Amino acid sequence: MIDLTTLIVMILSAATPILFAALGELIAERAGVLNLGVEGMMIAGALAGFAAAHATGSPAIGFAVAAIAGAALSMIFGVLTQYLLTNQVATGLALTLFGLGLTALFGKPYEGVKAPSMAQGPLGLNWIIWLGLLAVPLIWWFLNRSRPGLILRGIGENHHAAHALGHKVRPVRLAAIAFGGAMAGIGGAYISIATVLQWTEGMTAGAGWIALALVVFSGWRAVGVLAGAWLFGGVTVLQLRLQAAGVNVPVQLLAMAPYLVTILALVLISARRGSASPGSLGQIFHTTS
Amino acid sequence: MWTLEPRSDAPLIWQIATPIMAVIATMLTGALLFGLMGYDPVAAIRTIFWDPLFGASAGYSRPQLLVKAGPLILIACGLAVGFRAGIWNIGAEGQYIMGGIAGAAVALAAYPAEGWWIFPAMVIAGAFGGWVWGMIPAMLRNWFGASEILVSLMLVYVAQKIAAWMAFGPMRNPEGFGMPGSRNLSQYASASNPEMFPGTGIHWGVIAAAFAVFGVWVLMSRHIRGLQIRAAGEAPRAARFAGVKPSALVAFCLGLSGALAGMAGLFEAAGPAGQITDGFGSGYGFTAIIVAFLGRLHPVGIVLAGLLMALTYIGGDIAQLMLQMPAATVQVFQGMLLFYLLGFDLLTRYRIRRRVTA
């Protein structure tokens, strides 16, 4: 067996990509925007971040580029849904398909290339893990204690009321979408730069969708997102440990665990809480004035 | 300044014009992209959109059009019904895989018996497998309020793992020299789904797609259930007051789209793919979502959209062969097309007016 510290490090590491992506999506959804393109933005961040880290030898630059790439891709979604008033479900889905295609197209030269190594931070955790943990209280504070956070929540709960009060619905939402994109990009880059250490096509393998489920699971709260990410990280590590330990269950069946646990968590939360989703979530905002 | 004024009706002219505009815009952007990547843009566009139909090797590629369009149309028909009602089944890929596995299981259990009943039993099993996989998100939504979007999508990954397990485990061909993958059903007469008329590409899946198109058209325009579906999508509250039960619609739409996707999977497993392998799911379930939207959720539109998407698949293969273009190019094209389509749709739903400022 392995000791407890190693296990905790592994769980925290496995939780980090979806923690980032889910925190970003949390902000977008609290602003009333349902962006199903998380998977697409994550994979874009995974490739852009890997490419930049490989070219410069600096993981830090890699993560910065990943954030920019995720945000840039999210702006396609932002302009379409906020200004061309498209259906958010369909547009988000298109973003995911587009991101997966685009990265498959431009990722070929990076296959089989190794990532530069990342510096260890305090307690044997790299600084992106720390950044993710730090982001949770910051986002909690932003949403619940700051004035811009209050405006953002107001827009998400009832965009017509917020508009009537003079708040700029579309710019705020665009900013929330961009933040969501940047966070998804960082989460994706964590997979390619810090865990897998290389680029492979479609490597996010549904992490973006799990992040979306996590936001529902959290009841749209930052602390809930953290708890969900740890739960998911735990299941992932447990599944990998069981594989390594040679348990008499086919590998492919063990690999289903994270997806099944996500479904189970969704069911339990939805049954218990009903829907606590922001009032205007996923609705098109149109005004003539 | 410009303002947008909602239209009370969607003019037919724009409904037809916007998909065409989207295709043209995609071609132009695609040409630009190819230019930037260092390919001859005109040659690339011609290879993808023209050569499969009229090029030098069109005799081979033309039948492929129906082979590829068949499953896309079959799946998209089912999805379109749900999308009309605001029920988002985006896990058709998983239902397709499970249908393929369930159908192949019947064939493998019957092997090496021969009989007229085997293939029909496989079709039923395939539809059943997809139906079950579609009913899971339906029931979880009806009983617990879980999002059918996320559950159906999660089940895609679960289905992919099951396919891999089947290929390496229970369904592995005992005479396959240890290679992963099931027996090849196209070499098993009673279970195979061959080309029916040489040179046309028509197999049972294409025939089923034709029936599905007609069936969905009847359902949506002539049947009370279709009216309920359209009402639920356009005015959910009004539909509820009129006595439409949302839970019944969820079960109906997810069950129908699941069954059709499952059948598509079975026809593929018994025909063009021939066997269950690790990578049996080849993305038809996701592309069918684009087909449904491009076809404006209407059966006739879906036929045209399915043929166009099939064309890009074949054109993409040719471009890969002739111009050494990466296979993912087609995926980028499809994503781009959906973006343009959704964007241009503004013109159908809104009137653009110049604002009179005082």
Side-chain angles (χ1 to χ4, degrees):
Chain A
M1 278 316 284
I2 50 169
D3 65 299
L4 197 62
T5 329
T6 323
L7 194 67
I8 290 173
V9 170
M10 284 171 76
I11 291 173
L12 287 176
S13 188
T16 297
I18 50 164
L19 177 63
F20 271 97
L23 286 173
E25 178 68 14
L26 173 67
I27 293 292
E29 291 197 12
R30 285 307 283 265
V33 181
L34 178 65
N35 185 355
L36 295 185
V38 182
E39 179 83 1
M41 302 184 299
M42 278 186 95
I43 194 88
L47 177 63
F50 185 84
H54 174 70
T56 60
S58 155
I61 293 176
F63 282 107
V65 169
I68 294 168
L73 201 62
S74 77
M75 282 300 96
I76 301 178
F77 174 87
V79 170
L80 278 170
T81 56
Q82 301 308 308
Y83 293 96
L84 297 179
L85 309 179
T86 59
N87 178 303
Q88 295 182 11
V89 173
T91 313
L93 213 55
L95 191 66
T96 287
L97 297 173
F98 184 68
L100 288 169
L102 205 62
T103 51
L105 186 59
F106 291 108
K108 279 277 174 269
Y110 295 98
E111 275 170 10
V113 177
K114 265 198 79 67
S117 64
M118 276 191 65
Q120 292 287 313
L123 303 177
L125 301 173
N126 65 51
W127 52 271
I128 290 288
I129 296 181
W130 284 111
L131 199 63
L133 295 176
L134 188 67
V136 176
L138 283 179
I139 283 174
W140 176 86
W141 180 84
F142 170 79
L143 282 175
N144 298 300
R145 292 290 180 271
S146 79
R147 185 172 159 73
L150 181 66
I151 294 171
L152 181 126
R153 281 190 292 139
I155 287 171
E157 282 305 326
N158 188 333
H159 47 214
H160 292 301
H163 176 72
L165 286 173
H167 297 304
K168 303 244 172 289
V169 174
R170 286 194 282 224
V172 170
R173 285 194 168 157
L174 216 52
I177 294 166
F179 179 77
M183 292 291 272
I186 295 173
Y190 189 85
I191 300 177
S192 62
I193 298 177
T195 35
V196 183
L197 305 178
Q198 57 178 358
W199 161 256
T200 49
E201 203 179 305
M203 68 184 307
T204 44
W209 294 104
I210 291 173
L212 274 160
L214 217 58
V215 177
V216 179
F217 172 81
S218 75
W220 288 270
R221 290 171 306 123
V223 181
V225 168
L226 182 66
W230 282 347
L231 171 74
F232 174 83
V235 172
T236 308
V237 171
L238 180 71
Q239 174 264 118
L240 290 171
R241 295 299 307 165
L242 287 174
Q243 279 189 25
V247 182
N248 194 19
V249 176
V251 177
Q252 297 89 358
L253 297 187
L254 282 177
M256 285 176 201
Y259 308 108
L260 291 176
V261 168
T262 305
I263 293 176
L264 190 68
L266 263 179
V267 165
L268 290 177
I269 285 299
S270 309
R272 198 165 56 94
R273 204 180 276 132
S275 181
S277 63
S280 293
L281 183 63
Q283 289 176 15
I284 294 171
F285 175 68
H286 174 253
T287 177
T288 44
S289 56
Chain B
M1 268 306 284
W2 302 94
T3 58
L4 297 173
E5 196 180 283
R7 293 180 194 271
S8 55
D9 60 334
L12 189 65
I13 178 85
W14 283 119
Q15 287 195 47
I16 295 169
T18 46
I20 298 170
M21 287 162 68
V23 171
I24 293 170
T26 307
M27 283 190 188
L28 292 177
T29 318
L32 193 71
L33 187 72
F34 292 141
L36 291 174
M37 288 167 67
Y39 297 103
D40 174 5
V42 178
I45 295 292
R46 201 192 55 223
T47 309
I48 294 178
F49 289 98
W50 182 261
D51 284 0
L53 292 175
F54 309 107
S57 58
Y60 166 76
S61 55
R62 232 177 277 154
Q64 284 294 310
L65 200 62
L66 287 180
V67 171
K68 297 260 195 280
L72 288 175
I73 293 171
L74 192 53
I75 302 169
C77 272
L79 293 180
V81 173
F83 291 171
R84 275 283 183 94
I87 295 161
W88 299 95
N89 175 12
I90 57 173
E93 179 77 5
Q95 293 139 20
Y96 168 93
I97 293 172
M98 293 312 283
I101 291 175
V106 169
L108 295 172
Y111 184 87
E114 298 282 353
W116 62 267
W117 55 272
I118 292 178
F119 193 71
M122 287 165 63
V123 175
I124 293 167
F128 182 73
W131 180 80
V132 167
W133 221 239
M135 284 310 269
I136 298 173
M139 290 299 107
L140 294 183
R141 171 166 162 178
N142 284 345
W143 292 338
F144 306 109
S147 155
E148 83 279 14
I149 298 178
L150 294 172
V151 174
S152 66
L153 201 279
M154 283 297 138
L155 287 173
V156 173
Y157 293 96
V158 175
Q160 284 173 349
K161 304 289 177 210
I162 293 179
W165 174 49
M166 287 292 160
F168 283 92
M171 282 193 180
R172 188 198 293 236
N173 183 358
E175 289 151 26
F177 308 102
M179 295 279 280
S182 72
R183 276 184 202 282
N184 198 320
L185 299 179
S186 58
Q187 289 157 15
Y188 173 19
S190 291
S192 71
N193 174 26
E195 191 176 31
M196 300 167 87
F197 313 101
T200 58
I202 294 177
H203 58 66
W204 280 111
V206 178
I207 309 245
F211 275 104
V213 168
F214 182 68
V216 166
W217 178 77
V218 170
L219 171 74
M220 295 307 285
S221 61
R222 294 284 179 274
H223 197 276
I224 181 74
R225 180 63 102 187
L227 180 72
Q228 291 176 347
I229 287 167
R230 282 183 288 147
E234 279 156 35
R237 271 171 60 84
R240 265 205 296 281
F241 286 130
V244 179
K245 276 175 70 185
S247 58
L249 274 192
V250 169
F252 176 79
C253 291
L254 278 159
L256 176 73
S257 50
L260 291 182
M263 268 165 71
L266 169 274
F267 290 126
E268 199 68 12
Q275 55 175 174
I276 297 296
T277 55
D278 193 351
F280 173 67
S282 46
Y284 280 137
F286 291 116
T287 307
I289 297 171
I290 302 178
V291 170
F293 278 111
L294 185 62
R296 301 215 141 275
L297 310 183
H298 188 281
V300 176
I302 286 171
V303 171
L304 297 174
L307 289 170
L308 180 71
M309 280 297 161
L311 184 68
T312 61
Y313 268 125
I314 303 159
D317 283 349
I318 299 177
Q320 206 181 334
L321 208 69
M322 307 295 285
L323 308 173
Q324 281 77 47
M325 214 175 254
T329 317
V330 174
Q331 254 182 298
V332 177
F333 253 81
Q334 292 176 349
M336 216 150 61
L337 183 58
L338 189 46
F339 280 141
Y340 275 120
L341 186 73
L342 293 166
F344 280 130
D345 207 24
L346 183 80
L347 299 171
T348 318
R349 293 177 300 127
Y350 296 89
R351 193 176 276 128
I352 301 176
R353 282 277 170 84
R354 186 190 280 278
R355 184 192 289 176
V356 190
T357 38

